[in-house]
Amino acid sequence: FAKLARGWYLAGERYAFEEKNDKRDEAYQKGLDWATKSLKLSAPEFAKMMAEGKTHAESIVKAPKESIPAMYWYASALGKWAASKGFATRLRYKDDIKATIDHIKSMDEMFFYAAPWRFLGGYEAQTAGLAGGSLDKSEENFKKAVALAPNYLGTKVLWADYLCVKRQDKATFEKLLKDVVAASA
């Protein structure tokens, strides 16, 4: 189920650059649905706590290491889906997303090429200002992700896209993307 969640997330990314797209939103929703099914199966204690009315943040810490793929694609799909729905929806789910990624990081900071650090780099940049994020923390997280997994070029692309654009840091933006273009396949 976690692989299906990832597949649907990637299907949503196919439409990521289109302003309003029902296919994108539907793909992210399907990714979220499969990730939720995967979490329920791989983390029964999490599912039980959620059924008892506990918050996501209270419950997710009960998910075991085996649930990391489900948790990661859950947070990724939820983040993209919420972003497509607007600021209020993004704000509503930001703490659930952060709690999920923090839990993954506590168990395996190297999952998917240091994905928790990369994710938090984007998260901090996106939530800077009104939603409590920090551009400085964003930069720290992106630097940590690059230090841990220097050959995963997606980190530099996201760093340029999320943090450099927000800071209007053209020099770093260009350097990061030149590094990606110059990298050996």
Side-chain angles (χ1 to χ4, degrees), residues 14-16 18-26 84:
R14 153 65 177 87
Y15 302 104
E18 297 178 23
E19 186 65 31
K20 173 70 177 133
N21 189 295
D22 293 336
K23 288 181 182 179
R24 175 196 62 209
D25 296 349
E26 180 182 339
S84 77

Side-chain angles (χ1 to χ4, degrees), residues 9 13 16-17 28 72 75-77 79-81 83-84 90 115 117-128 134-139 141-142 154-169 172-173 176-177:
Y9 171 85
E13 289 292 273
F17 298 107
Y28 289 143
Y72 183 74
S76 297
K80 293 289 183 135
W81 175 84
S84 77
R90 183 183 264 177
W117 294 102
R118 180 174 54 255
F119 193 108
L120 290 172
Y123 174 90
E124 290 289 342
Q126 288 183 314
T127 59
S134 162
L135 296 180
D136 290 337
K137 285 182 186 175
S138 172
E139 184 174 5
N141 287 318
F142 279 127
T155 300
K156 291 182 178 185
V157 173
L158 292 173
W159 183 347
D161 187 33
Y162 287 106
L163 181 59
C164 293
V165 169
K166 194 142 195 179
R167 279 188 167 164
Q168 297 295 296
D169 182 353
T172 305
F173 180 91
L176 289 166
L177 296 183

Side-chain angles (χ1 to χ4, degrees), residues 106-120:
S106 75
M107 291 188 290
D108 184 4
E109 69 177 350
M110 289 302 298
F111 172 74
F112 199 56
Y113 312 99
W117 294 102
R118 180 174 54 255
F119 193 108
L120 290 172

Side-chain angles (χ1 to χ4, degrees), residues 23-39:
K23 288 181 182 179
R24 175 196 62 209
D25 296 349
E26 180 182 339
Y28 289 143
Q29 180 63 60
K30 286 182 179 181
L32 186 56
D33 292 346
W34 283 110
T36 301
K37 288 177 186 179
S38 184
L39 265 173

Side-chain angles (χ1 to χ4, degrees), residues 90-115:
R90 183 183 264 177
L91 193 60
R92 178 178 175 203
Y93 291 106
K94 78 175 187 64
D95 293 337
D96 292 351
I97 293 167
K98 176 104 170 42
T100 302
I101 295 300
D102 283 342
H103 185 51
I104 294 169
K105 187 176 70 157
S106 75
M107 291 188 290
D108 184 4
E109 69 177 350
M110 289 302 298
F111 172 74
F112 199 56
Y113 312 99

Side-chain angles (χ1 to χ4, degrees), residues 3-77:
K3 287 180 181 180
L4 286 169
R6 180 182 182 192
W8 280 108
Y9 171 85
L10 293 172
E13 289 292 273
R14 153 65 177 87
Y15 302 104
F17 298 107
E18 297 178 23
E19 186 65 31
K20 173 70 177 133
N21 189 295
D22 293 336
K23 288 181 182 179
R24 175 196 62 209
D25 296 349
E26 180 182 339
Y28 289 143
Q29 180 63 60
K30 286 182 179 181
L32 186 56
D33 292 346
W34 283 110
T36 301
K37 288 177 186 179
S38 184
L39 265 173
K40 286 179 180 177
L41 289 174
S42 65
E45 198 170 339
F46 160 81
K48 180 179 181 245
M49 289 179 71
M50 290 295 292
E52 292 171 351
K54 302 288 186 197
T55 68
H56 179 88
E58 291 172 315
S59 305
I60 199 66
V61 297
K62 298 299 183 179
K65 190 171 184 173
E66 297 78 32
S67 298
I68 287 176
M71 287 187 283
Y72 183 74
W73 297 112
Y74 172 88
S76 297

